[in-house]
Amino acid sequence: MTPASPPLVSRQLLAARAAVAALFLTNGAIFANLLPRYPQLKADLGLSNAEYGLAVASFPCGALMAGLAAGALIRRFRSSRVAVAGTLLTSAGVLLAGLAPSWWALAGALFFAGCMDAITDVAQNSHGLRVQRLYGRSILNSFHAVWSIGAVTGGLMGGLAAGLDVPRGVHLGISALLFAVVALTALRFTLPGPEPIEPDQRAEEGARADGSPARHGAMGPSRIWLMIAALVLIAVGGTLVEDAGSTWAAVYLSGTLGAEAAVASFGFIALVGAQFVGRLLGDGLVDRFGQRAVARTGGATTAAGMGVALMFPSVPGTIAGFALAGFGVATLVPAAMHGADELPGLRAGTGLTENS
């Protein structure tokens, strides 16, 4: 008996892949548009470093709180619809942050944007994994590579707007409108129908119905949650490096090192640009060397990059350090997302939610 051949890629599947890529692009670009405006926001509101740090910390705090609801929303409304709705609401939150007249308004807007961004992130990854299963091969890193393209695009847009002294409301309003159109157009080409129920999930739901113990494949529940905890640590490590670049790169370059606003945006741009290259190479590297070897090498590269940024406090040295760190963390978050979604016995979106 010959092994089954890989499934043919239909036009509908190609369109769905392009649609998911467009959603990742918008998700990367929307928030990145705000980052080069952080130094100006900090100065206009007269914030100290502590006040600024607390305000921008509202974004990841919102993400942690709202991410827990993503799985239920996906099962109720479909991953594609949740991703697009989250995109529109994230744009609104970023626009409100750019127009914030006070510390409280800034923190509140960033908290709301973080909530919506987390839900969008889980939903678009969930839909991307649906497309990947139909492809029959790994394509998730390519979606995250497109996210990096979006982040670079958004950073360049924000840096240009800051350099030209474009009012934040005008700049972020145009950005929100542009990427809303992209997301709504992409929705038309996403996969139809509700989220698929996996065999392990059917078995667990059947077990609950007849009162018998739920099965978790070859692993017990405690082992599954230990694996989730490990995957969360991997995802958090990668996200912390991204957050360091998005939150402090422009402020550090423009404040401590005295770079112009447009030049200061290149700290974050270098990080996500190198991350894009790493994600383009990611699937091939993982197939050849294995996920563990790639993760270990990435961790060492990240540490070296952040070390360069700290040891050589100059504009070129800092930008190079952020680039090296971005290359190192390139495959960590996609790997954690994929690993969590593949755990047996979990409903659609649950594993991704725990890693968001």
Side-chain angles (χ1 to χ4, degrees), residues 109-334:
L110 287 175
F111 181 85
F112 175 76
C115 290
M116 297 303 103
D117 181 75
I119 291 171
T120 303
D121 188 41
V122 174
Q124 67 187 13
N125 273 283
S126 180
H127 205 76
L129 287 164
R130 281 188 66 186
V131 175
Q132 177 173 273
R133 291 188 196 100
L134 295 175
Y135 258 78
R137 58 185 174 85
S138 176
I139 60 172
L140 188 62
N141 275 299
S142 69
F143 290 138
H144 285 262
V146 174
W147 182 95
S148 298
I149 293 176
V152 170
T153 301
L156 289 171
M157 289 171 64
L160 180 62
L164 295 175
D165 290 325
V166 177
R168 289 193 299 271
V170 174
H171 158 221
L172 296 172
I174 293 173
S175 168
L177 179 61
L178 171 64
F179 294 116
V181 171
V182 173
L184 289 169
T185 302
L187 180 61
R188 298 178 53 197
F189 300 98
T190 53
L191 294 175
E195 303 304 298
I197 299 178
E198 300 300 322
D200 286 326
Q201 182 184 332
R202 293 193 189 98
E204 184 179 5
E205 291 176 350
R208 283 199 298 265
D210 63 17
S212 59
R215 298 179 63 188
H216 296 269
M219 294 183 289
S222 60
R223 181 169 174 78
I224 288 177
W225 287 107
L226 283 173
M227 293 184 68
I228 287 178
L231 291 168
V232 167
L233 287 175
I234 293 171
V236 167
T239 303
L240 283 175
V241 175
E242 293 178 2
D243 285 347
S246 64
T247 302
W248 291 104
V251 172
Y252 177 65
L253 283 164
S254 64
T256 305
L257 301 180
E260 297 291 335
V263 175
S265 67
F266 277 88
F268 176 71
I269 290 169
L271 186 146
V272 293
Q275 194 177 61
F276 163 69
V277 174
R279 286 171 172 173
L280 279 183
L281 301 173
D283 289 323
L285 291 172
V286 168
D287 288 342
R288 181 171 181 179
F289 299 108
Q291 192 69 259
R292 290 184 181 181
V294 173
R296 288 169 182 161
T297 304
T301 304
T302 301
M306 298 308 288
V308 167
L310 293 172
M311 292 172 63
F312 300 98
S314 64
V315 172
T318 299
I319 291 174
F322 276 112
L324 202 57
F327 187 81
V329 300
T331 63
L332 294 185
V333 174

